[in-house]
Amino acid sequence: MPRAPHPSRKTFTRFASKQPFQFGLPNVSSGLTQTSDNSPIYFTRATSLMRRQVLANAPGVKIKSDSYRFQVLTRDGWGERDFSGKSVLFLVPDDALGDCVGMALFFRALKQRFGNIRIGVLNAGSASDIFALVQGIEIFQLFISSGQLKRFDHVIDLSEMEGWRDIATMPVNPEEALCEAFGISPIPLEKRQLPTGARLKVGIVPMASSPLRTLPPKLVSEVTKMLAKSDCDITLVLNAYQGVMKAYKAALSDLGTQNGGNTRIIDGFKTIGDLVKFVGQQDYLVVADSGPAHISKLFQTPGIGIYSSADAKTLQGRHTNLHAWQSDFSGPHCSAPCGLAKLRATPDGKIGCMGSLGLPITALPDTPEKSDPELARALVTNKSVPCVARLETDIPAICDLISQDLAKA
């Protein structure tokens, strides 16, 4: 028999509001904006943007507690429950796009197994547009009311998934891990072919949230120039929300005069929903190890995913829509893939990775306490991350692989 429910790992803020309110993140589609419902109490993560920047100064709001924990089903009971006809609220650990894609795929499988299950997600944050692709799911970006909470039979804390505590240093595949934990089969995959006899739409998304996974500008330039000579429309998408974007775009300046009329460069999308729509509309993708690489799983968009520090096999899992290209760098302190998803820090505050700092992983015990845009720009544009820089030597082979793929259209 599964054990009785126990407290969630993360704490939530309990608050009351005398005034009606609504809230939606600026990078989430407006249709997913949340509105109060006259309930006496509301809940949001104690560390959420809403708690830190909105509630603290909102008139008519009274904070009841910052230490509330939901009573959640124990991990050992996930695979033993029959969720048929039940309403289940899932607590989302974070809103990293790749992780949330894996969760969304798992929710599709859960609905396939229990056809009349009702699913809600709390703390969907910036990934709310991804969860919206799951039919019938109820999305709570950053808060839930006591009235809404009463509609759920069970609460499940997805941060109890195996490997979640170490995800920053050793990525996991949430879809496969969750399906295994719940004892269900993943959804069948339908192979998507390149359209024949049509002008192809090719998307290039080279920037990731970390310099460890952002593609070298030289690689992106050469791939774009090669594609510009073919019969396709190319869209190169940067990320205007990252501090390194201007420097990265400057490193691609030669494309402005050499790419002809079939290439456009855009600084980014206003919402994650716009990005999701873009990925679904492309015929072929060239992507870094980033959110769009994972989003492609939702549509099975073909292309190539180029990986550096993280293991392509783990991250792509059973999905073969993208060819996986893995950096093969090997040095005195690390070899790709090392498993790092983000930069690390030494006890005295130096930030980087094993290869960029010339140190073993044991000398980098911490994650940086704050971002350093200048360092990030230097790591991206100065070839400081060796497994990323190594990809420049692969340019001819990568271009050849892409050419072979497009020749099938």
Side-chain angles (χ1 to χ4, degrees):
M1 292 289 294
R3 291 178 292 151
H6 64 165
S8 60
R9 286 181 174 175
K10 300 293 184 180
T11 58
F12 287 75
T13 296
R14 293 176 67 247
F15 69 96
S17 177
K18 295 181 179 179
Q19 304 292 333
F21 64 93
Q22 65 177 25
F23 192 82
L25 292 169
N27 62 342
V28 173
S29 296
S30 59
L32 298 176
T33 296
Q34 288 188 263
T35 303
S36 59
D37 62 0
N38 297 316
S39 289
I41 294 292
Y42 299 86
F43 306 88
T44 186
R45 275 273 290 273
T47 56
S48 73
L49 177 70
M50 186 176 185
R51 172 64 179 101
R52 290 184 284 109
Q53 297 188 12
V54 179
L55 297 183
N57 302 309
V61 169
K62 183 176 182 180
I63 304 298
K64 301 287 188 179
S65 169
D66 276 332
S67 58
Y68 180 84
R69 296 177 190 268
F70 290 102
Q71 290 297 304
V72 302
L73 292 183
T74 58
R75 163 64 186 85
D76 61 6
W78 291 359
E80 300 177 18
R81 296 269 181 173
D82 182 355
F83 294 106
S84 299
K86 301 296 184 180
S87 293
V88 186
L89 178 68
F90 291 88
L91 307 182
V92 178
D94 69 40
D95 59 357
L97 299 187
D99 298 332
C100 290
V101 165
M103 295 175 207
L105 289 164
F106 157 69
F107 291 140
R108 286 181 178 176
L110 196 65
K111 288 177 71 68
Q112 178 179 263
R113 172 63 180 83
F114 304 104
N116 54 355
I117 187 175
R118 297 180 295 277
I119 295 174
V121 289
L122 175 58
N123 199 44
S126 295
S128 295
D129 283 293
I130 289 174
F131 291 116
L133 295 175
V134 182
Q135 187 176 6
I137 199 168
E138 192 168 6
I139 298 167
F140 304 97
Q141 272 191 62
L142 291 178
F143 70 89
I144 190 171
S145 73
S146 55
Q148 292 165 330
L149 182 61
K150 288 179 181 178
R151 302 202 307 261
F152 291 95
D153 302 303
H154 304 293
V155 181
I156 291 177
D157 184 355
L158 291 183
S159 70
E160 295 185 5
M161 179 180 66
E162 287 80 359
W164 193 266
R165 292 182 184 274
D166 302 316
I167 201 166
T169 55
M170 190 57 64
V172 298
N173 186 315
E175 178 195 13
E176 295 180 5
L178 286 169
C179 284
E180 181 178 352
F182 281 77
I184 62 176
S185 300
I187 59 171
L189 299 178
E190 296 183 8
K191 189 173 180 61
R192 178 174 158 185
Q193 303 288 348
L194 286 172
T196 57
R199 190 174 178 86
L200 297 181
K201 290 180 288 187
V202 178
I204 304 175
V205 192
M207 299 185 70
S209 59
S210 169
L212 301 181
R213 296 178 282 115
T214 294
L215 301 183
K218 183 179 179 182
L219 167 61
V220 177
S221 289
E222 293 304 314
V223 168
T224 305
K225 292 175 188 175
M226 181 271 293
L227 287 169
K229 299 175 183 177
S230 61
D231 186 26
C232 57
D233 291 317
I234 307 153
T235 304
L236 174 56
V237 181
L238 304 179
N239 192 330
Y241 297 100
Q242 292 179 352
V244 303
M245 193 275 285
K246 289 184 178 179
Y248 196 89
K249 190 174 184 179
L252 300 172
S253 59
D254 61 329
L255 292 178
T257 58
Q258 298 184 36
N259 58 24
N262 61 342
T263 301
R264 62 172 180 150
I265 301 176
I266 61 176
D267 291 346
F269 295 106
K270 183 179 180 181
T271 69
I272 301 301
D274 293 334
L275 173 62
V276 170
K277 183 178 179 181
F278 169 81
V279 171
Q281 290 175 337
Q282 301 309 294
D283 298 314
Y284 192 88
L285 291 170
V286 180
V287 290
D289 170 15
S290 59
H294 294 281
I295 292 170
S296 74
K297 299 173 184 177
L298 297 167
F299 306 100
Q300 292 298 295
T301 310
I304 179 172
I306 304 174
Y307 296 81
S308 49
S309 62
D311 180 27
K313 292 180 180 179
T314 298
L315 294 176
Q316 291 195 181
R318 68 194 183 100
H319 298 267
T320 59
N321 58 298
L322 298 180
H323 290 293
W325 191 280
Q326 182 81 60
S327 171
D328 61 357
F329 170 79
S330 181
H333 299 290
C334 58
S335 297
C338 66
L340 289 188
K342 300 179 180 180
L343 296 173
R344 305 286 291 180
T346 64
D348 60 354
K350 295 178 182 176
I351 300 174
C353 63
M354 292 81 76
S356 67
L357 294 175
L359 295 170
I361 184 60
T362 52
L364 299 167
D366 307 312
T367 54
E369 294 183 0
K370 59 181 180 179
S371 60
D372 186 337
E374 185 175 345
L375 172 64
R377 285 192 291 270
L379 289 173
V380 166
T381 58
N382 294 342
K383 305 181 185 180
S384 303
V385 180
C387 64
V388 174
R390 171 71 178 176
L391 292 170
E392 289 194 0
T393 65
D394 297 333
I395 290 174
I398 291 173
C399 286
D400 185 57
L401 176 59
I402 296 171
S403 295
Q404 292 180 37
D405 273 350
L406 298 185
K408 301 172 185 177

